[in-house]
Amino acid sequence: MKVFNTLSRKKEEFVPLEPGKVRMYVCGPTVYNFIHIGNARPMIVFDTVRRYFEYKGYDVNYVSNFTDVDDKIINKAIEEGVDSSVISERYIAECKKDMKGMNVKPATTHPLATEEIHGMIAMIETLIEKGYAYRAEDGTVYYRTRKFKDYGKLSHKNLEDLQAGHREIKVVGEKEDDLDFVLWKPKKDGEPYWESPWCDGRPGWHIECSVMAKHYLGDEIDIHAGGEDLIFPHHENEIAQSEAANGRQFSKYWMHNAFLNIDNRKMSKSLGNFFTVREISEKYDLQVLRFFMLSAHYRSPLNFSAELMEASKNGLVRILTAVERLGELLSSAADGEPAEKETAVRNQMKELVEKYEAAMEDDFNTADAVSAVFEMVKLANTSVDETSGKVLVEYVKSTVETLCGVLGIITEKREELLDADIEALIAERQQARKDKNFARADEIRNELAAKGILLKDTREGVKWTRA
Ligand code: AMP
Ligand code: ZN
């Protein structure tokens, strides 16, 4: 299996530290709001990586944190006049709902930064003892970046370039060097804080992940992953901290997903051009979002658009319809030895399984893996029918189901998927009526009637039934 390693900028053969096991850490979201569809990309992509390793028989220890102490959380808490734990707990619960909708498996462990403060203090103490960190006058603890000789090895930056990019004016009593970054910072009024040997305060963001990875996976891990914006400084700093403190290579492979864009522009909260996963779920079954994400290679930028979502939905419905049909065929298929032409179909299926696996083994090329599934569906639709024996129907059905399962696509959801469509049309009709666009409202009613969906306006809203 080949994995593109950001460290070497090459595809490398995957060799686990311990045979049969994968220790994997994926940086999770900062929980101050609903997650947006950009945050969903690493969740879906690396959940699929995990599922493929499991399909290959590996035992995967998958750790993904929630960053639950951060300026953005604190600001939101102040805005609402509540404790910051109220905000983080609320959005962790909402995030878990979205993950379920996208069929992202819960991690083996989802650690919370606020529950790992002891470990952070211990690692910072080690870094101070080893000369990699120091306390400034105001109680802030900084990492002494220049002391770590390999600094820049992940982001392929050198210290001189980094230095040139820094134009901060140095304040006496603060950092020794512009490149130094924060490990621990003093509390401000109204902020959550913890006692420490240096001052009452809270950890910097980077130390959280170094410590949570160490606690749940050990000093050396197989894969560390996240979005490509995390390469610098977050992951570079994690390497500096962990390798200086533990004296071992932190992660053997570093995987980074490219960004999800909207209208070919970077999607970000500050530009205001983002959708939350929850918003998308009002219009689509989140399986469609998952399928859309997997239609591209994880290292290619992906542009979100209504057209691509529609195409993904149609593709997904095609697969699920084929599986449903195979289920129907199976219930009436005859037992007995497969006929010769059935052996040929079986062999074609086997070749497609190989194609699927080859795509996934080539740095998780889900786009090509999905193409292989479409070819299987085509084969099933053209070569499996009422005359096919049980053994063949069962084989084709279970193969498509298993391989969809590795992509996290649930094959039994066809009706629900279509239900989401119906709900969306009903919502559009309500809006049309509000806007006094009765022509559109009638058009939608007729469109639904043609699909056998009957609408009834009641006092509790619109109810619908299948005719
Ligand atoms: P954050 O909450 O900003 O730390 O982000 C959580 C995860 O989502 C990180 O792995 C980010 O790299 C990733 N991420 C954020 N925005 C996007 C985006 N537009 N496309 C892909 N990944 C993203
Ligand atoms: Zn992290």
Side-chain angles (χ1 to χ4, degrees):
M1 197 185 307
K2 292 262 190 304
V3 176
F4 183 90
N5 191 350
T6 308
L7 260 181
S8 62
R9 287 183 171 162
K10 286 195 186 88
K11 281 185 198 169
E12 293 176 23
E13 189 59 33
F14 179 77
V15 183
L17 291 164
E18 198 180 327
K21 297 205 168 151
V22 179
R23 286 177 237 162
M24 183 165 178
Y25 186 94
V26 182
C27 291
T30 306
V31 279
Y32 66 102
N33 210 330
F34 287 96
I35 57 162
H36 59 63
I37 54 176
N39 302 136
R41 192 170 188 194
M43 287 180 184
I44 291 170
V45 160
F46 298 116
D47 176 64
T48 306
V49 167
R50 168 196 191 169
R51 285 168 185 266
Y52 190 71
F53 276 119
E54 286 174 345
Y55 168 74
K56 295 298 284 183
Y58 285 97
D59 176 8
V60 184
N61 191 345
Y62 190 97
V63 176
S64 189
N65 67 298
F66 287 112
T67 294
D68 63 343
V69 53
D70 174 87
D71 288 343
K72 296 187 198 104
I73 302 172
I74 294 168
N75 289 341
K76 181 113 175 183
I78 292 170
E79 231 174 82
E80 289 193 18
V82 295
D83 197 76
S84 66
S85 64
V86 174
I87 302 293
S88 55
E89 279 166 27
R90 181 197 303 158
Y91 290 112
I92 287 170
E94 297 296 356
C95 177
K96 286 185 174 171
K97 274 189 218 162
D98 289 337
M99 285 169 63
K100 192 153 189 274
M102 298 186 293
N103 200 24
V104 170
K105 283 205 222 183
T108 315
T109 314
H110 279 291
L112 303 183
T114 53
E115 290 176 4
E116 307 287 333
I117 304 289
H118 277 320
M120 298 181 207
I121 291 175
M123 190 179 278
I124 297 171
E125 279 180 326
T126 306
L127 289 170
I128 293 177
E129 276 160 28
K130 292 190 168 185
Y132 284 97
Y134 60 94
R135 179 189 185 277
E137 269 168 37
D138 65 350
T140 308
V141 182
Y142 290 102
Y143 188 93
R144 196 171 267 133
T145 303
R146 278 178 198 283
K147 171 133 174 108
F148 184 67
K149 292 290 166 261
D150 282 339
Y151 196 82
K153 71 175 170 181
L154 181 72
S155 53
H156 305 273
K157 293 177 189 290
N158 65 49
L159 288 175
E160 281 59 47
D161 293 346
L162 288 172
Q163 185 70 70
H166 270 77
R167 296 263 177 265
E168 287 171 30
I169 299 157
K170 237 175 109 180
V171 181
V172 181
E174 279 199 359
K175 303 182 189 187
E176 288 175 359
D177 189 293
D178 284 346
L179 295 180
D180 296 352
F181 60 88
V182 172
L183 298 172
W184 186 266
K185 55 185 155 196
K187 68 170 182 187
K188 293 198 197 112
D189 273 352
E191 288 186 358
Y193 67 90
W194 291 264
E195 286 176 7
S196 81
W198 317 289
C199 64
D200 288 351
R202 61 187 166 102
W205 171 37
H206 316 300
I207 196 75
E208 296 176 11
C209 289
S210 280
V211 168
M212 291 187 265
K214 180 183 169 82
H215 183 169
Y216 295 97
L217 299 171
D219 289 355
E220 280 181 287
I221 69 175
D222 292 292
I223 299 176
H224 195 124
E228 66 183 4
D229 58 323
L230 300 187
I231 298 172
F232 187 85
H234 186 52
H235 289 165
E236 196 69 65
N237 290 354
E238 279 190 46
I239 291 177
Q241 296 163 161
S242 296
E243 298 193 356
N246 304 330
R248 313 269 278 274
Q249 177 173 37
F250 179 30
S251 180
K252 212 171 160 190
Y253 305 91
W254 287 83
M255 295 179 71
H256 294 99
N257 64 273
F259 256 49
L260 179 73
N261 299 320
I262 285 195
D263 302 326
N264 293 309
R265 285 173 71 202
K266 183 176 164 164
M267 192 184 76
S268 80
K269 289 209 170 135
S270 52
L271 290 171
N273 60 345
F274 68 91
F275 290 109
T276 62
V277 169
R278 202 54 65 84
E279 283 168 323
I280 297 303
S281 77
E282 283 159 16
K283 197 148 184 256
Y284 292 98
D285 186 304
L286 290 177
Q287 286 276 294
V288 178
L289 183 66
R290 179 167 188 127
F291 196 62
F292 159 75
M293 297 278 185
L294 298 177
S295 66
H297 189 272
Y298 75 92
R299 283 189 292 113
S300 304
L302 177 58
N303 196 44
F304 182 85
S305 71
E307 294 78 45
L308 284 176
M309 282 293 281
E310 280 305 312
S312 296
K313 195 188 79 205
N314 294 338
L316 188 53
V317 169
R318 207 165 109 223
I319 296 172
L320 305 198
T321 306
V323 174
E324 193 178 45
R325 175 176 166 271
L326 290 168
E328 285 160 13
L329 290 174
L330 189 61
S331 59
S332 56
D335 289 321
E337 283 300 297
E340 202 173 309
K341 75 167 201 232
E342 295 194 350
T343 312
V345 175
R346 198 185 174 92
N347 288 341
Q348 278 171 278
M349 271 303 279
K350 277 193 183 143
E351 276 171 30
L352 291 172
V353 172
E354 280 165 23
K355 196 167 168 182
Y356 174 102
E357 290 184 355
M360 293 299 277
E361 308 258 321
D362 183 16
D363 190 32
F364 307 97
N365 191 337
T366 54
D368 285 0
V370 166
S371 303
V373 172
F374 278 129
E375 287 184 61
M376 289 178 199
V377 163
K378 194 169 161 200
L379 182 66
N381 289 344
T382 52
S383 306
V384 182
D385 57 24
E386 290 75 11
T387 66
S388 308
K390 204 170 225 150
V391 178
L392 179 72
V393 182
E394 174 66 48
Y395 171 69
V396 174
K397 180 171 180 277
S398 67
T399 304
V400 174
E401 279 174 335
T402 304
L403 299 185
C404 282
V406 174
L407 298 172
I409 299 298
I410 304 167
T411 44
E412 299 97 55
K413 288 191 73 171
R414 187 168 171 276
E415 288 305 324
E416 273 175 56
L417 202 71
L418 296 174
D419 287 358
D421 254 12
I422 294 162
E423 306 284 355
L425 276 172
I426 292 173
E428 194 190 333
R429 176 171 167 266
Q430 293 297 85
Q431 189 57 45
R433 296 213 302 187
K434 252 194 224 152
D435 301 342
K436 308 228 178 309
N437 182 354
F438 297 110
R440 177 68 188 138
D442 285 347
E443 198 177 89
I444 293 172
R445 178 183 275 273
N446 295 339
E447 194 182 322
L448 287 168
K451 290 181 179 173
I453 306 299
L454 301 179
L455 300 185
K456 204 166 143 199
D457 293 305
T458 72
R459 248 191 292 172
E460 295 85 53
V462 182
K463 298 265 158 66
W464 62 272
T465 48
R466 281 183 213 281

mmCIF file of all heavy atoms in Angstrom, residues 27-30 32 36 38-42 72 205 226-230 257-261 267, ligand 1:
data_model
loop_
_atom_site.group_PDB
_atom_site.id
_atom_site.type_symbol
_atom_site.label_atom_id
_atom_site.label_comp_id
_atom_site.label_asym_id
_atom_site.label_seq_id
_atom_site.Cartn_x
_atom_site.Cartn_y
_atom_site.Cartn_z
ATOM 1 N N CYS A 27 -6.175 15.479 13.549
ATOM 2 C CA CYS A 27 -6.546 16.707 14.269
ATOM 3 C C CYS A 27 -8.024 17.006 14.059
ATOM 4 O O CYS A 27 -8.509 17.051 12.927
ATOM 5 C CB CYS A 27 -5.723 17.897 13.786
ATOM 6 S SG CYS A 27 -4.002 17.748 14.256
ATOM 7 N N GLY A 28 -8.721 17.195 15.149
ATOM 8 C CA GLY A 28 -10.165 17.423 15.081
ATOM 9 C C GLY A 28 -10.505 18.906 15.148
ATOM 10 O O GLY A 28 -9.622 19.753 15.232
ATOM 11 N N PRO A 29 -11.783 19.211 15.110
ATOM 12 C CA PRO A 29 -12.202 20.610 15.037
ATOM 13 C C PRO A 29 -12.154 21.342 16.375
ATOM 14 O O PRO A 29 -12.158 20.731 17.440
ATOM 15 C CB PRO A 29 -13.655 20.500 14.566
ATOM 16 C CG PRO A 29 -14.118 19.186 15.101
ATOM 17 C CD PRO A 29 -12.919 18.281 15.097
ATOM 18 N N THR A 30 -12.099 22.663 16.265
ATOM 19 C CA THR A 30 -12.282 23.526 17.424
ATOM 20 C C THR A 30 -13.781 23.745 17.534
ATOM 21 O O THR A 30 -14.420 24.142 16.562
ATOM 22 C CB THR A 30 -11.553 24.868 17.188
ATOM 23 O OG1 THR A 30 -10.203 24.574 16.854
ATOM 24 C CG2 THR A 30 -11.598 25.747 18.409
ATOM 25 N N TYR A 32 -16.652 25.586 18.449
ATOM 26 C CA TYR A 32 -17.309 26.841 18.852
ATOM 27 C C TYR A 32 -18.509 27.138 17.973
ATOM 28 O O TYR A 32 -19.143 28.178 18.104
ATOM 29 C CB TYR A 32 -16.311 27.998 18.821
ATOM 30 C CG TYR A 32 -15.805 28.354 17.446
ATOM 31 C CD1 TYR A 32 -16.301 29.453 16.758
ATOM 32 C CD2 TYR A 32 -14.818 27.578 16.843
ATOM 33 C CE1 TYR A 32 -15.828 29.772 15.501
ATOM 34 C CE2 TYR A 32 -14.348 27.885 15.579
ATOM 35 C CZ TYR A 32 -14.855 28.983 14.917
ATOM 36 O OH TYR A 32 -14.393 29.297 13.663
ATOM 37 N N HIS A 36 -18.314 23.107 9.482
ATOM 38 C CA HIS A 36 -18.675 23.417 8.101
ATOM 39 C C HIS A 36 -18.205 22.281 7.195
ATOM 40 O O HIS A 36 -17.511 21.359 7.635
ATOM 41 C CB HIS A 36 -18.164 24.793 7.675
ATOM 42 C CG HIS A 36 -16.684 25.001 7.747
ATOM 43 N ND1 HIS A 36 -15.798 24.268 6.987
ATOM 44 C CD2 HIS A 36 -15.942 25.870 8.475
ATOM 45 C CE1 HIS A 36 -14.584 24.684 7.248
ATOM 46 N NE2 HIS A 36 -14.624 25.639 8.149
ATOM 47 N N GLY A 38 -16.049 22.143 4.989
ATOM 48 C CA GLY A 38 -14.590 22.021 4.876
ATOM 49 C C GLY A 38 -14.060 21.117 5.985
ATOM 50 O O GLY A 38 -13.260 20.211 5.745
ATOM 51 N N ASN A 39 -14.526 21.315 7.194
ATOM 52 C CA ASN A 39 -14.125 20.453 8.317
ATOM 53 C C ASN A 39 -14.532 19.006 8.060
ATOM 54 O O ASN A 39 -13.912 18.072 8.578
ATOM 55 C CB ASN A 39 -14.794 20.876 9.638
ATOM 56 C CG ASN A 39 -14.508 22.304 10.042
ATOM 57 O OD1 ASN A 39 -15.399 23.029 10.464
ATOM 58 N ND2 ASN A 39 -13.256 22.716 9.910
ATOM 59 N N ALA A 40 -15.616 18.839 7.300
ATOM 60 C CA ALA A 40 -16.111 17.480 7.034
ATOM 61 C C ALA A 40 -15.153 16.717 6.125
ATOM 62 O O ALA A 40 -15.120 15.484 6.154
ATOM 63 C CB ALA A 40 -17.491 17.542 6.396
ATOM 64 N N ARG A 41 -14.355 17.442 5.328
ATOM 65 C CA ARG A 41 -13.501 16.727 4.375
ATOM 66 C C ARG A 41 -12.478 15.818 5.076
ATOM 67 O O ARG A 41 -12.436 14.627 4.770
ATOM 68 C CB ARG A 41 -12.815 17.701 3.396
ATOM 69 C CG ARG A 41 -12.184 16.945 2.238
ATOM 70 C CD ARG A 41 -11.703 17.830 1.097
ATOM 71 N NE ARG A 41 -11.299 16.972 -0.020
ATOM 72 C CZ ARG A 41 -10.587 17.354 -1.064
ATOM 73 N NH1 ARG A 41 -10.194 18.621 -1.160
ATOM 74 N NH2 ARG A 41 -10.263 16.508 -2.011
ATOM 75 N N PRO A 42 -11.660 16.341 6.016
ATOM 76 C CA PRO A 42 -10.739 15.405 6.687
ATOM 77 C C PRO A 42 -11.470 14.291 7.438
ATOM 78 O O PRO A 42 -10.995 13.157 7.488
ATOM 79 C CB PRO A 42 -9.930 16.282 7.639
ATOM 80 C CG PRO A 42 -10.684 17.574 7.742
ATOM 81 C CD PRO A 42 -11.456 17.725 6.462
ATOM 82 N N LYS A 72 -11.724 31.416 20.319
ATOM 83 C CA LYS A 72 -13.038 31.516 19.649
ATOM 84 C C LYS A 72 -14.149 30.966 20.547
ATOM 85 O O LYS A 72 -15.254 31.501 20.567
ATOM 86 C CB LYS A 72 -13.020 30.750 18.327
ATOM 87 C CG LYS A 72 -12.054 31.336 17.313
ATOM 88 C CD LYS A 72 -12.210 30.643 15.970
ATOM 89 C CE LYS A 72 -11.015 30.854 15.075
ATOM 90 N NZ LYS A 72 -10.146 29.668 14.991
ATOM 91 N N TRP A 205 -2.205 25.865 21.485
ATOM 92 C CA TRP A 205 -2.936 24.873 20.687
ATOM 93 C C TRP A 205 -2.049 23.678 20.308
ATOM 94 O O TRP A 205 -2.466 22.515 20.407
ATOM 95 C CB TRP A 205 -3.483 25.582 19.440
ATOM 96 C CG TRP A 205 -4.081 24.713 18.383
ATOM 97 C CD1 TRP A 205 -4.831 23.583 18.552
ATOM 98 C CD2 TRP A 205 -3.998 24.921 16.966
ATOM 99 N NE1 TRP A 205 -5.220 23.089 17.327
ATOM 100 C CE2 TRP A 205 -4.722 23.887 16.344
ATOM 101 C CE3 TRP A 205 -3.384 25.897 16.160
ATOM 102 C CZ2 TRP A 205 -4.839 23.787 14.959
ATOM 103 C CZ3 TRP A 205 -3.510 25.801 14.795
ATOM 104 C CH2 TRP A 205 -4.232 24.750 14.205
ATOM 105 N N GLY A 226 -4.494 15.537 8.842
ATOM 106 C CA GLY A 226 -5.324 16.738 9.002
ATOM 107 C C GLY A 226 -5.373 17.485 7.681
ATOM 108 O O GLY A 226 -4.786 17.047 6.684
ATOM 109 N N GLY A 227 -6.039 18.613 7.679
ATOM 110 C CA GLY A 227 -6.103 19.443 6.476
ATOM 111 C C GLY A 227 -4.747 20.088 6.189
ATOM 112 O O GLY A 227 -3.932 20.260 7.100
ATOM 113 N N GLU A 228 -4.516 20.455 4.928
ATOM 114 C CA GLU A 228 -3.179 20.939 4.547
ATOM 115 C C GLU A 228 -2.828 22.276 5.197
ATOM 116 O O GLU A 228 -1.651 22.614 5.307
ATOM 117 C CB GLU A 228 -3.062 21.036 3.026
ATOM 118 C CG GLU A 228 -3.957 22.084 2.411
ATOM 119 C CD GLU A 228 -3.888 22.130 0.891
ATOM 120 O OE1 GLU A 228 -3.197 21.291 0.288
ATOM 121 O OE2 GLU A 228 -4.549 23.017 0.322
ATOM 122 N N ASP A 229 -3.838 23.020 5.651
ATOM 123 C CA ASP A 229 -3.527 24.278 6.351
ATOM 124 C C ASP A 229 -2.828 24.019 7.685
ATOM 125 O O ASP A 229 -2.250 24.934 8.269
ATOM 126 C CB ASP A 229 -4.821 25.091 6.587
ATOM 127 C CG ASP A 229 -5.856 24.310 7.391
ATOM 128 O OD1 ASP A 229 -5.972 23.081 7.191
ATOM 129 O OD2 ASP A 229 -6.536 24.931 8.228
ATOM 130 N N LEU A 230 -2.883 22.777 8.150
ATOM 131 C CA LEU A 230 -2.268 22.468 9.452
ATOM 132 C C LEU A 230 -0.775 22.140 9.342
ATOM 133 O O LEU A 230 -0.082 22.062 10.355
ATOM 134 C CB LEU A 230 -2.997 21.292 10.121
ATOM 135 C CG LEU A 230 -4.482 21.508 10.415
ATOM 136 C CD1 LEU A 230 -5.021 20.329 11.219
ATOM 137 C CD2 LEU A 230 -4.735 22.802 11.177
ATOM 138 N N ASN A 257 -5.127 16.454 3.665
ATOM 139 C CA ASN A 257 -6.123 16.635 2.603
ATOM 140 C C ASN A 257 -6.066 18.062 2.068
ATOM 141 O O ASN A 257 -5.769 19.010 2.804
ATOM 142 C CB ASN A 257 -7.542 16.320 3.108
ATOM 143 C CG ASN A 257 -8.016 17.259 4.197
ATOM 144 O OD1 ASN A 257 -7.762 17.030 5.370
ATOM 145 N ND2 ASN A 257 -8.702 18.324 3.823
ATOM 146 N N ALA A 258 -6.358 18.191 0.760
ATOM 147 C CA ALA A 258 -6.441 19.521 0.163
ATOM 148 C C ALA A 258 -7.750 20.175 0.584
ATOM 149 O O ALA A 258 -8.617 19.536 1.184
ATOM 150 C CB ALA A 258 -6.365 19.405 -1.354
ATOM 151 N N PHE A 259 -7.890 21.443 0.226
ATOM 152 C CA PHE A 259 -9.046 22.200 0.691
ATOM 153 C C PHE A 259 -10.296 21.983 -0.136
ATOM 154 O O PHE A 259 -10.241 21.640 -1.310
ATOM 155 C CB PHE A 259 -8.696 23.686 0.751
ATOM 156 C CG PHE A 259 -8.476 24.133 2.172
ATOM 157 C CD1 PHE A 259 -7.643 23.405 3.001
ATOM 158 C CD2 PHE A 259 -9.123 25.244 2.673
ATOM 159 C CE1 PHE A 259 -7.461 23.769 4.319
ATOM 160 C CE2 PHE A 259 -8.945 25.630 3.997
ATOM 161 C CZ PHE A 259 -8.116 24.899 4.820
ATOM 162 N N LEU A 260 -11.396 22.208 0.520
ATOM 163 C CA LEU A 260 -12.678 22.256 -0.162
ATOM 164 C C LEU A 260 -12.944 23.738 -0.441
ATOM 165 O O LEU A 260 -12.889 24.564 0.465
ATOM 166 C CB LEU A 260 -13.763 21.693 0.765
ATOM 167 C CG LEU A 260 -15.161 21.696 0.188
ATOM 168 C CD1 LEU A 260 -15.278 20.616 -0.875
ATOM 169 C CD2 LEU A 260 -16.192 21.440 1.273
ATOM 170 N N ASN A 261 -13.191 24.051 -1.701
ATOM 171 C CA ASN A 261 -13.442 25.442 -2.080
ATOM 172 C C ASN A 261 -14.909 25.632 -2.451
ATOM 173 O O ASN A 261 -15.621 24.668 -2.721
ATOM 174 C CB ASN A 261 -12.585 25.816 -3.296
ATOM 175 C CG ASN A 261 -11.104 25.688 -2.975
ATOM 176 O OD1 ASN A 261 -10.671 26.037 -1.888
ATOM 177 N ND2 ASN A 261 -10.342 25.179 -3.925
ATOM 178 N N MET A 267 -12.886 28.269 0.968
ATOM 179 C CA MET A 267 -14.051 28.423 1.814
ATOM 180 C C MET A 267 -13.581 28.764 3.221
ATOM 181 O O MET A 267 -12.759 28.051 3.782
ATOM 182 C CB MET A 267 -14.807 27.102 1.857
ATOM 183 C CG MET A 267 -16.158 27.227 2.469
ATOM 184 S SD MET A 267 -16.954 25.637 2.601
ATOM 185 C CE MET A 267 -16.066 25.006 3.973
HETATM 186 P P1 AMP B 1 -10.288 23.752 12.526
HETATM 187 O O1 AMP B 1 -11.512 23.592 13.370
HETATM 188 O O2 AMP B 1 -10.241 25.031 11.764
HETATM 189 O O3 AMP B 1 -9.016 23.466 13.293
HETATM 190 O O4 AMP B 1 -10.357 22.641 11.389
HETATM 191 C C1 AMP B 1 -10.551 21.260 11.622
HETATM 192 C C2 AMP B 1 -10.056 20.478 10.443
HETATM 193 O O5 AMP B 1 -10.738 20.885 9.234
HETATM 194 C C3 AMP B 1 -8.568 20.674 10.130
HETATM 195 O O6 AMP B 1 -8.014 19.433 9.759
HETATM 196 C C4 AMP B 1 -8.567 21.639 8.972
HETATM 197 O O7 AMP B 1 -7.428 21.505 8.184
HETATM 198 C C5 AMP B 1 -9.785 21.173 8.213
HETATM 199 N N1 AMP B 1 -10.354 22.204 7.308
HETATM 200 C C6 AMP B 1 -10.793 23.433 7.638
HETATM 201 N N2 AMP B 1 -11.275 24.088 6.551
HETATM 202 C C7 AMP B 1 -11.160 23.236 5.496
HETATM 203 C C8 AMP B 1 -11.503 23.294 4.101
HETATM 204 N N3 AMP B 1 -12.090 24.368 3.563
HETATM 205 N N4 AMP B 1 -11.223 22.211 3.337
HETATM 206 C C9 AMP B 1 -10.671 21.107 3.857
HETATM 207 N N5 AMP B 1 -10.318 20.969 5.153
HETATM 208 C C10 AMP B 1 -10.560 22.021 5.980
#
